[in-house]
Amino acid sequence: MLLLAMDTATPAVTVALHDGEAVVASSSRVDARRHGELLLPAVDRVLKEAGLTLDAVTGLVVGVGPGPYTGLRVGLVTAAAFSSALGVPVHGLCTLDGLAYASGIDGPFAVATDARRKEVYWARYDDFRTRATDAAVDRPADIAEALAGLPVVGAGALLYPEAFPDARDPEHQSAAALAALAAEKLVAGETGGFLDPLPMYLRRPDAQVPKNYKVVTPQ
């Protein structure tokens, strides 16, 4: 097994290789505006660090979000292109699940990432392997009571300390954690735990088609 994992659903452009037992190489850079520019060089970097070529990959893992429209689709399109070229499967995972897994928290908690517009993408977890709710997008004040007393992992918790006073690491997504979670599921035969590699947007994109067009052609 050699899994190439990537996630661009958050400001972190993150890539990792996992051989079924451990992460053999990883790269992460936080830059919310350069997902398309940074992802492929990161893939090249981890392959070079591991002394491998792309054709050694036996499967792909990609974070499906939730996340903003533009950044999220960079990772998904890249994973789909690699899958087509290599003839290997793509395993989708909720981005929040990667953060949860990396936290290692063995008890109830939540994950919250920055959704912009003064909102967060979030979900509750029974432990670091088990998501208890679907991912959602809400204003922090609207969910503060529901999450009261729970640790909250991720950048969303740090951005809104008044709503989430018990903020925990990690702040940013890690493809290394996403790859380790996927490898654990594959080794255990838990293929039903994967998602289709399609974007989880949860809301409409920021860019909108104008509703009223100005007529510039002769009548």
Side-chain angles (χ1 to χ4, degrees):
M1 179 189 298
L2 184 66
L3 299 175
L4 173 62
M6 63 189 72
D7 197 320
T8 59
T10 71
V13 179
T14 179
V15 178
L17 284 169
H18 197 289
D19 65 4
E21 296 183 357
V23 173
V24 295
S26 64
S27 172
S28 292
R29 182 167 175 178
V30 178
D31 193 325
R33 298 182 181 276
R34 298 174 63 205
H35 294 85
E37 179 182 347
L38 296 174
L39 181 57
L40 289 179
V43 172
D44 288 341
R45 192 158 51 249
V46 297
L47 287 168
K48 184 176 181 181
E49 181 181 336
L52 298 167
T53 56
L54 187 60
D55 58 7
V57 170
T58 61
L60 294 142
V61 181
V62 64
V64 303
Y69 181 78
T70 303
L72 174 55
R73 64 182 179 171
V74 170
L76 287 162
V77 168
T78 301
F82 284 163
S83 173
S84 178
L86 299 172
V88 299
V90 183
H91 307 289
L93 285 172
C94 177
T95 293
L96 303 179
D97 291 356
L99 283 155
Y101 189 83
S103 76
I105 298 175
D106 195 12
F109 69 103
V111 173
T113 61
D114 182 18
R116 305 173 187 173
R117 303 185 191 175
K118 298 182 179 180
E119 294 179 329
V120 293
Y121 297 119
W122 69 281
R124 288 184 62 143
Y125 290 79
D126 291 332
D127 57 55
F128 68 98
R129 290 187 180 91
T130 312
R131 180 156 41 88
T133 66
D134 291 335
V137 58
D138 287 288
R139 290 184 176 273
D142 293 341
I143 59 173
E145 184 176 349
L147 302 183
L150 292 180
V152 182
V153 171
L158 294 172
L159 280 171
Y160 303 102
E162 68 285 354
F164 313 120
D166 189 3
R168 302 283 183 92
D169 289 331
E171 178 180 359
H172 295 293
Q173 172 70 313
S174 163
L178 206 67
L181 175 59
E184 183 177 291
K185 288 179 177 292
L186 288 169
V187 170
E190 297 177 16
T191 54
F194 293 107
L195 303 172
D196 291 334
L198 300 172
M200 186 188 297
Y201 291 131
L202 299 188
R203 68 184 184 201
R204 297 178 64 83
D206 293 334
Q208 300 290 330
V209 176
K211 294 181 179 179
N212 298 312
Y213 291 94
K214 182 178 179 181
V215 177
V216 296
T217 55
Q219 297 297 317

